[in-house]
Amino acid sequence: MQTVADQDTAGAGPAAQAASNLFALLPSVDRVLGWPGVAVLIEGHGRAQVTDAVREILSTLRQAAADGSLAPRQLAESALIDRLASTLAERDAPRLCPVFNLTGTVLHTNLGRATLPEEAIAALVDAARSPCALEYDLATGGRGDRDDIVEGLLCELTGAEAASVVNNNAAAVVLLLNALALRREVLVCRGELVEIGGAFRVPDIMRRAGAKLREVGTTNRTHLKDFEEAIGPRTALLMKVHTSNYAIEGFTKSVPEPELGALARRAGVPFVVDLGSGTLVDLERYGLPHEPTPRESLGAGADLVTFSGDKLLGGPQAGILVGRAALIQRIKKNPLKRALRVGKLTLAALEAVLRLYRDPDRLAERLTALRLLTRSDRDIRAQALRLAEPLGRALAHWPVQVTVEPTLSQIGSGSLPVDRLPSHALVITPTRRRGAGLKRLQAALRDLPTPVIGRIADGAMRLDLRCLPVEREDNFVRQLSALTDH
Ligand SMILES: *Cc1c(COP(=O)(O)O)cnc(C)c1O
């Protein structure tokens, strides 16, 4: 980089002369910090942050002056203050910002899966705000166990003898394998060697947990006798993994849970089921496809069942283990349990969500995830028709056309992989330059104060409205005006 001094001694031309004049006009950090317009920024963001941002901006401007790309108006006090304010606002914007999930996938892992019901939000705010009896027995004043907070509810809702909670279902599976099958064999049907998005693969998890996977049967067909023949002195567990995110169809056979349960009992080894999603109620009651429940698995002879807290259950991220008291006891003694435990915020939210399940009649109203999953197509269509007009108006200057079309939502997070829910979408179709236009539109939607995440398919941007709650509709419409200026 050339310096001002080099340019002077080199007897540079008029451009360099202008640049050196601009250098002289660059204010010092202290001067900027003393401007009355900056005082309010210091009050809002703190002196250290403002000083840091001023240094960064001045250094960029100094570089621009050296390159000859600096315009004098950029150095005006008001221009500098505006720039400082927007730099600070950008730095302070939360990275974990709320978005509109209009992807059509209700339990979207990348968008945080289940949104919590108000009851759970209130509970976790309370737990955050003050000390709480997390591991404290209020009856005796002695030490408590954090699992006690939800164990009673979990046993009541699943019919289990005991329960424990960890960070997520992947953790629950690792913990159970490590506690019950270290250096021994776990029998799993070949058709169930699942990979869940985000690097959860049954064979890898098994190895990391220190257990030995023994594959049984074939990809499409596994018989009870395959399991019988595989059982031996090194067998620690029979395991069934729910094929959450795919379906094997055609010439298939798998061993029903009751038969596996009976075989495990004969062999004297526990039978464990990784259910993945695991709703606590029969979803058919709400007009949704059936998804196996922990109660069903336990009833069919499973000794332990694991499932996620933030899939169909509709609660916070958590992994839940329910089943026989003796096995849960062994699991709780494993040092990994301490490493994988949940915090008070999770337990507060989970407890509140589980309580909602005690009143199944009102569950579809109160549990947000279930409310979204059971929204009627008619209701979504009416909303789409209401919103098409303001969206069309906001995009009036874009070469696009807005229509309302039927679509199919999916449940997501590997739940009910082949079932789709009838819904309606706002469809934005470019009238020219398809590819580039769509990318620009997608970026503009992401750039809104509350980013709108849709899905591009068949040459159009599709905004499935299933997950736009009516109470957030105003907020959605209000920010659309920002698209007009794009
Ligand atoms: C989703 C899923 C997991 C992982 O659960 P997380 O809560 O995401 O850790 C494990 N097994 C099955 C079968 C699943 O569907």
Side-chain angles (χ1 to χ4, degrees), residues 109 113 167-171 173 194 196-197 200 202 241-245 274-277 306-311 317-319 413-415:
T109 296
R113 291 196 185 158
N167 183 56
N168 54 20
N169 187 36
V173 173
V194 179
I196 311 289
F200 177 93
V202 170
V241 183
H242 186 48
T243 55
S244 328
N245 49 5
D274 172 16
L275 263 191
S277 201
T306 72
F307 51 99
S308 292
D310 56 353
K311 293 185 179 173
Q317 179 188 303
S413 280
S415 313

Side-chain angles (χ1 to χ4, degrees), residues 154 158 169 242 244 274-281 283 291-295 297 305-315 320 354 357 413-416:
L154 284 167
T158 62
N169 187 36
H242 186 48
S244 328
D274 172 16
L275 263 191
S277 201
T279 168
L280 297 176
V281 283
L283 290 180
E291 173 78 7
T293 65
R295 186 186 285 281
S297 293
V305 180
T306 72
F307 51 99
S308 292
D310 56 353
K311 293 185 179 173
L312 281 171
L313 185 72
I320 299 164
L354 293 174
Y357 277 89
S413 280
S415 313
L416 306 162

